[in-house]
Each structure stands twice: as C-alpha cells, then as structure tokens.
Amino acid sequence: MMSMYYQAFQNHMDLTAPWRAGASSALKFLNLVPQGVSHQVVGRLSAALELISRSTLTYDRPAYGIDSVMVGNREIAITEEIAYATPFGSLLHFRKDNVGEQPRMLLVAPMSGHFATLLRGTVKTLLQDHDVYITDWHNPRDIPRSEGRFGLDDYTEHLIDFLGQLGPRPHMVAICQPSVSALAAAAIMCEDNHPSRPATLTLMAGPIDTRIQPTKVNDFAKSKPIEWFERNLINYVPMQCRGALRKVYPGFVQLTAFVSMNLERHIKQHLDLANHIAKGEKDKAASIKTFYDEYFAVMDLPAEFYIETVRDVFQEHLLPQGRLMHRGRPVNTKAVSRMGLMTVEGEKDDICSIGQTLAAQDLCTGVRAYRRVHHMQAGVGHYGVFSGKRWNNEIYPLLRDFVHVNS
C-alpha cells in the first residue's frame, strides 16, 4: 500500500502556517521601531523573522513579470494572454502590439518540478526578435482526478495541438527534458504533412540518447527497477487540494533531491541572507530572496508522465533505438524533413552531457545537411545553455539567425 507522506507533509505545513504568517506580519512593523532602539538588534530580529517566514514552499506559479521588451531601439509593452488551454496546460502568448511580423515560436518548457517561469529570462531574450508562446504547465495537485491521466503521449499530443494553434510553419524550441517529445511531435507532424509542422526545431540540452557519456542523473535512473520509483517516489495529492488523491511525484520530494545535490551551497546562501538583512544590505538580500522565491515554487509531476519518462527515455532509450511509440504508432525520426534542425549542448553540463542532444542529428536523416546546425557552448553548465550571459551573447544570436534563415 502506498504511504501517505505527502498528506503528512501538507498537514505539517498547514499547522505551522500561523508561525510563518506571524513572522511576516512582525517584519512589516519593524520599521516603526523608535530610533533609540539599536539598529543591530532590529537587524538580527529582522533576519530571524525573515528566515522563519520563508521556511515554506509555494505551489502557485510565480509571475513572469515581463512588462516590456526592447525591439530594436523601441521599448514594446508585453501583454500575457492565454491563446489555448487544456486542464493540464496553457498555451501562453506574450503579445506585442505595433511590431512588424516576427517568426512565431513555441518555447517548450520542461515539466520537471518547477514552473515554466523558470524560463522567464529565456523568454525575454527570445521576445526581441520573435512572436513567443510558451507551454505553461499546470500543477497536477490543482487538477481534479476526473480530468484523467497525463502521460508521455499526452505531453507529445499537447505539443502537436499547441503548434496547430500557431498556424502554418511555426518554430519550436525545447529546453532539456521535453526534447524527446518535441522531436516525436515533429516526426509525427512531418509524416502527416501537418500544416503546422515546425519550420525549425531547436533542441537545447535534451536527453535524446542518455547512453552517451551517462551522467550521475542518468546512472541513478538506471540503478533501480521502475517498480522502485513507483513504490518510493509516487504519492497521493493531499485531501486539502483540488487534485486530491491524484497520483504524483511530489514537488517537495523533487526539491529535496535538488537541494541535497548542493546542500552546503544552499545553507551558505541562507546564512548570507541572514547576514545581509542584519547589516541592512538590502540589494544583496533581495538578490538571494528573488532566487529562492522561484526555486521554492514547486510543481508536482503526474505519476504517469514521470514513470513513463524514467522508463522510456532514461532506462530503455526507446527513441534512439527506433522503438518509441505514440498512441500505438511508431515514431519515425527519419520522417523529419523540410525543416531546420539545431542542437545545442553545454561543455560542463552535468545533467545532459555532450553528445546526448547531438544524437538527434544522426536520427533525423531526412534533414538536409545545409539545414543542420550544432553548437557546443564552451564554459557553461546545464542552465547556462538557456540562461545567463553566454546564452544572451553567444548562443541566442546563433539561434536567432538559424530561425530567420529557415523562416
């Protein structure tokens, strides 16, 4: 019988919520303390209250916070609008008015424990030259069980449906984990001569073939039988939630795994946060708080999607072996044609190593040589492939030119 540790965790968070709320309220009144009181005492008290108030997770999606973007030498306002939605995800459009026609692009966000807002920097960069849509996945703990299951096939089908909403020949950029589904969707749409098949497909740090230079993440996925993952990592959504009793891989369990990989660093960051607050160093404290506001916003994964991804992508390597099926239909990567294919990898990526994404180039034999691009970015790890200075200054210009040449 499956344990109820998620329910126990939620009960604990609910019981301790008044303490965090009290600490947050007390923080608001500290600026009313008379000047005669020691600033050092106030600083230390503020630091303690801040840490108490932040000792929680949130299951609500943070805001993207993209109000405007520079297009050429003009600042253009951004309006978020839901172009299409299902119970499991929204096709979110970052609309720009009074801008000439730009290539329509679907940015495919991973479903891996954090919200798509983790890609806000990627979105903001892409918006300079593209009409950007993103897969804004919903938290399964808020989706009633009556809406049914969501597995790997459903994810791929969502990409096909979302591309269909963008009209003829859009562009698709997949970040990390969804590269497999993105390539499968492109293959199916090409084989069907779908009018919205991608004009270009860009795969960034994605696990197309994890048999190549396996990382610690890959090794762990193969170290246990799939039944172990089902038995130890899958749990029921707590009764307090709209998705009560839906089976998920809980977000707080995923976050625990992420934190444990760099535990000393996270402890140091919170000690630094307390010191900055105590010393009145507001800008330094704000930088740390902004990072952890996003990092501690966690999303559960549907159990079916997680288990099928571990089994089909990381254990059995179905796609590179030509054995991946979609709704009982073989995924034929040789059918990918009349489109551009770009793969991007990071030299220091310890999650998706060099060669794993490049493998897509060998699978897609129908893509003409002059429409292929591969880029290995020196000096970056996994997140540096799609965020930060190297992404903005070195990778993005290549992607932009690739998309525009193939538009």
Side-chain angles (χ1 to χ4, degrees):
M1 181 178 176
M2 193 180 298
S3 69
M4 298 292 285
Y5 61 77
Y6 194 178
Q7 182 70 62
F9 173 81
Q10 187 64 50
N11 292 344
H12 169 75
M13 299 308 293
D14 290 348
L15 286 170
T16 55
W19 293 93
R20 293 188 295 276
S24 295
S25 298
L27 273 171
K28 296 177 181 178
F29 290 100
L30 277 182
N31 60 350
L32 302 177
V33 173
Q35 292 186 351
V37 178
S38 167
H39 287 297
Q40 188 176 23
V41 172
V42 172
R44 288 178 177 173
L45 181 56
S46 295
L49 291 172
E50 182 72 46
L51 293 182
I52 292 171
S53 68
R54 299 181 69 82
S55 61
T56 186
L57 305 178
T58 176
Y59 287 92
D60 297 322
R61 175 175 72 72
Y64 283 92
I66 304 175
D67 300 318
S68 64
V69 66
M70 293 300 295
V71 178
N73 58 0
R74 293 191 300 151
E75 185 174 10
I76 304 297
I78 300 295
T79 303
E80 290 181 24
E81 58 183 15
I82 297 174
Y84 178 75
T86 76
F88 292 92
S90 297
L91 176 62
L92 188 65
H93 183 206
F94 298 90
R95 181 168 56 83
K96 293 177 288 193
D97 292 326
N98 302 315
V99 175
E101 186 175 350
Q102 295 181 317
R104 283 162 285 109
M105 176 178 287
L106 175 63
L107 179 61
V108 185
M111 187 181 278
S112 57
H114 285 98
F115 292 91
T117 51
L118 202 64
L119 299 181
R120 67 167 58 80
T122 314
V123 171
K124 194 161 188 177
T125 300
L126 291 170
L127 277 168
Q128 298 172 82
D129 306 284
H130 307 88
D131 185 13
V132 180
Y133 296 73
I134 193 170
T135 57
D136 196 42
W137 303 114
H138 302 165
N139 198 334
R141 77 184 236 137
D142 299 324
I143 305 172
R145 287 179 65 206
S146 58
E147 297 294 351
R149 74 190 305 278
F150 187 91
L152 198 55
D153 279 351
D154 300 285
Y155 190 107
T156 302
E157 194 159 288
H158 270 65
L159 299 190
I160 296 172
D161 291 344
F162 285 171
L163 286 167
Q165 297 296 317
L166 269 62
R169 306 295 274 153
H171 302 265
M172 180 161 55
V173 176
I175 305 293
C176 188
Q177 169 222 70
S179 291
V180 170
S181 281
L183 182 52
I188 291 164
M189 296 176 82
C190 285
E191 195 167 51
D192 292 346
N193 199 27
H194 195 297
S196 293
R197 66 189 185 279
T200 66
L201 172 62
T202 301
L203 307 176
M204 307 186 72
I208 298 299
D209 190 347
T210 60
R211 296 173 298 177
I212 301 169
Q213 299 190 68
T215 64
K216 289 182 179 179
V217 175
N218 304 149
D219 289 338
F220 175 71
K222 298 194 74 170
S223 66
K224 316 278 187 186
I226 197 65
E227 293 78 17
W228 182 92
F229 291 92
E230 292 180 294
R231 188 169 58 250
N232 291 278
L233 299 182
I234 302 303
N235 217 248
Y236 294 108
V237 171
M239 296 301 295
Q240 296 96 314
C241 307
R242 289 184 64 216
L245 298 181
R246 175 181 288 280
K247 287 184 179 181
V248 295
Y249 177 24
F252 81 92
V253 178
Q254 299 169 70
L255 184 66
T256 300
F258 292 150
V259 170
S260 65
M261 291 175 67
N262 294 284
L263 183 58
E264 291 183 3
R265 176 179 177 273
H266 291 296
I267 292 174
K268 182 180 183 301
Q269 284 282 80
H270 281 81
L271 291 174
D272 288 344
L273 173 61
N275 287 331
H276 293 324
I277 294 172
K279 294 177 181 177
E281 298 170 342
K282 294 183 179 180
D283 289 344
K284 292 180 179 178
S287 177
I288 296 175
K289 287 194 285 185
T290 298
F291 173 81
Y292 281 103
D293 283 345
E294 187 75 45
Y295 198 71
F296 288 160
V298 296
M299 189 177 90
D300 298 339
L301 264 67
E304 307 88 6
F305 174 78
Y306 175 71
I307 293 299
E308 289 168 14
T309 298
V310 172
R311 183 192 66 205
D312 297 353
V313 177
F314 294 98
Q315 291 189 347
E316 299 185 6
H317 317 287
L318 297 185
L319 180 66
Q321 296 187 70
R323 297 192 294 119
L324 183 66
M325 306 289 284
H326 175 73
R327 304 286 191 219
R329 167 186 177 178
V331 173
N332 179 18
T333 55
K334 294 179 182 178
V336 176
S337 61
R338 291 180 294 163
M339 60 178 282
L341 176 64
M342 182 175 185
T343 48
V344 184
E345 298 179 327
E347 178 190 18
K348 299 181 179 180
D349 193 335
D350 59 355
I351 294 177
C352 186
S353 62
I354 292 176
Q356 293 188 2
T357 311
L358 175 61
Q361 299 282 358
D362 293 330
L363 294 175
C364 299
T365 55
V367 178
R368 298 290 182 87
Y370 66 87
R371 304 192 76 177
R372 299 170 179 269
V373 173
H374 176 69
H375 177 67
M376 192 282 291
Q377 179 60 51
V380 302
H382 188 70
Y383 294 99
V385 170
F386 53 87
S387 64
K389 291 182 179 179
R390 296 282 180 86
W391 149 250
N392 285 320
N393 299 329
E394 300 180 43
I395 300 172
Y396 173 66
L398 297 175
L399 171 58
R400 177 196 60 211
D401 294 347
F402 167 71
V403 167
H404 283 248
V405 165
N406 287 280
S407 290

